[in-house]
Amino acid sequence: MIIRKEYKFENAHIVRDCSTQRCSQNIHGHSYRVEVLLESNYLDNGQMVYDFGLTKLYIKEFIDSFDHAITLWNKDSTEYLKHMKQHSQRWIELPVSPSAEQFSRVFFIVIDKILNLSTMNNNEKDVKLHSIIVHETQTGYAQCFREDAYSKLMGIIDIKDIHLSKQIQKEYSYPNLWEDILNNKKLVTPKIV
């Protein structure tokens, strides 16, 4: 069975070297929608694949990192990166260009890791990330599956090469969320009220 949860965020970026000049040469923004699709052949004690309330914890927190932030590609000019970080408290630096395709791969890799690090307290079994869909516009989206996320042909994304500004990390309700993800520390799932 597959379940789906949708999130929204506003983000700015430049996608260098793309075909569209406006997109590749100018900072611009989108109202993104992200669909997280989870799957399992089992149901938990509440007869659910995975309680939607649990997705409000670490998955939503990570996706919300991108809201009202600028996403940067670490291969852009040093001067540009320096100025963007200097003039924005909320920034994310990726080892890939911030296209919808790469956003979907980044979200897949990080959310997959979050699921693997999360404790399961209600007899959830074999809950896996099926795919991520990133809607960049009303009519265009990219969908990432496991083979895409970890594809050598598309380039390996090392999670340690993803950098979040101090402001983003400071706003997490779970204080060391990003540090714990990077260090493979178990993410304790608290009781949800």
Side-chain angles (χ1 to χ4, degrees), residues 58-175:
Y58 312 120
I59 293 172
K60 182 182 185 305
E61 289 248 49
F62 176 70
I63 292 172
D64 193 55
S65 300
F66 290 79
D67 189 46
H68 287 81
I70 185 162
T71 303
L72 308 165
W73 181 23
N74 69 3
K75 300 255 189 295
D76 218 318
S77 78
T78 306
E79 183 180 19
Y80 172 74
L81 294 173
K82 178 184 169 193
H83 285 295
M84 290 300 102
K85 290 176 182 179
Q86 181 181 348
H87 296 287
S88 181
Q89 290 187 5
R90 292 182 56 81
W91 55 263
I92 297 167
E93 185 178 287
L94 301 177
V96 292
S97 183
S99 64
E101 291 84 349
Q102 294 289 31
F103 268 147
S104 68
R105 293 181 72 223
V106 166
F107 288 140
F108 193 103
I109 288 164
V110 175
I111 293 169
D112 191 40
K113 189 159 190 177
I114 287 170
L115 280 173
N116 288 325
L117 292 174
S118 295
T119 57
M120 301 291 175
N121 298 330
N122 200 31
N123 201 30
E124 299 92 348
K125 292 181 191 163
D126 294 333
V127 178
K128 301 216 179 337
L129 185 53
H130 174 271
S131 63
I132 296 286
I133 300 173
V134 174
H135 297 262
E136 187 173 84
T137 65
Q138 293 243 338
T139 59
Y141 70 82
Q143 185 168 9
C144 177
F145 297 93
R146 184 168 302 279
E147 59 271 16
D148 305 318
Y150 300 104
S151 169
K152 289 182 182 176
L153 295 174
M154 294 185 193
I156 298 299
I157 298 173
D158 187 339
I159 196 168
K160 293 194 184 294
D161 292 331
I162 298 170
H163 301 284
L164 309 178
S165 70
K166 287 182 179 163
Q167 181 63 37
I168 288 172
Q169 294 181 57
K170 186 172 131 183
E171 292 175 11
Y172 286 145
S173 59
Y174 181 85

Side-chain angles (χ1 to χ4, degrees), residues 57-58 61-62 172 174-182 187:
L57 300 170
Y58 312 120
E61 289 248 49
F62 176 70
Y172 286 145
Y174 181 85
N176 298 318
L177 177 61
W178 187 242
E179 186 179 313
D180 287 352
I181 290 169
L182 290 176
L187 300 174

